[in-house]
Amino acid sequence: MIRHVVLFAWTSEATDKQKQQVAEELRALPPLITGLRSFQVGPDVGLIEGNFDFALVADFDDADSYLAYRNHPAHRAVVEQVIDPVAKQRVAVQYET
Amino acid sequence: MIRHVVLFAWTSEATDKQKQQVAEELRALPPLITGLRSFQVGPDVGLIEGNFDFALVADFDDADSYLAYRNHPAHRAVVEQVIDPVAKQRVAVQYET
């Protein structure tokens, strides 16, 4: 299984509505994705100073399933239209679990 | 439940032995930690250019359990003696799942 982990930091101009839209549109993706075992996103809860702002953790059957998600048109649309406008930084790792 | 997610980028000087030691010493922590539901770490598999190098995803009963892990002497020892010497960057998020 491949776990895909992404952390985002939002720009200071990002609005609460924009941040909420990121979460909502990402949460609408799982029914469209083949080989996806779990998918959870959420905003940082504010316990620790200096954290990034938002996390995504998704488990896929294998690397091919992850890459199909990465390239899926519905995912690309969320990235380009909803995430990119508010993302100051994005860091990611895929690891075997 | 609180999910704690950390991504690390290693320094260019970090050796394979040091990176392996990070994974091994982190994987030894769970029996010492109260309120920990799952704990998985691993190196980036190398699918995507520009990724960070290593991920940790841990699920805790609640924020107090996460903070107790954060401050646990065995965890602090791993951070200070094994992780800090090889970490170029560290980004984290805690979110509710």
Side-chain angles (χ1 to χ4, degrees), chain B residues 38-92:
Chain B
S38 77
F39 188 90
Q40 287 177 306
V41 303
D44 184 69
V45 292
L47 289 170
I48 307 295
E49 189 79 19
N51 270 6
F52 268 32
D53 298 310
F54 188 84
L56 182 158
V57 177
D59 291 328
F60 295 89
D61 287 344
D62 50 32
D64 285 347
S65 299
Y66 161 66
L67 292 170
Y69 157 79
R70 180 178 171 85
N71 297 321
H72 193 289
H75 176 231
R76 299 313 314 167
V78 175
V79 170
E80 289 161 20
Q81 294 165 24
V82 183
I83 295 177
D84 282 354
V86 296
K88 184 171 67 182
Q89 284 182 269
R90 173 195 181 277
V91 298

Side-chain angles (χ1 to χ4, degrees), chain A residues 6-10 19-20 22-24 26-27 39-46 51-58, chain B residues 1-5 92-97:
Chain A
V6 194
L7 301 181
F8 294 96
W10 303 138
K19 297 173 193 173
Q20 184 62 31
V22 170
E24 287 171 5
L26 285 171
R27 287 180 180 133
F39 187 90
Q40 287 177 305
V41 302
D44 184 70
V45 292
N51 270 6
F52 268 32
D53 298 310
F54 188 84
L56 181 158
V57 178
Chain B
M1 194 172 78
I2 290 284
R3 173 166 283 174
H4 168 56
V5 182
V93 162
Q94 294 86 41
Y95 69 107
E96 289 185 17
T97 58

Side-chain angles (χ1 to χ4, degrees), chain B residues 10-23 43 53-54 82-83 85-87:
Chain B
W10 303 138
T11 66
S12 55
E13 294 80 17
T15 66
D16 287 348
K17 185 177 173 183
Q18 285 177 305
K19 298 173 192 173
Q20 184 60 32
Q21 193 181 6
V22 170
D53 298 310
F54 188 84
V82 183
I83 295 177
V86 296

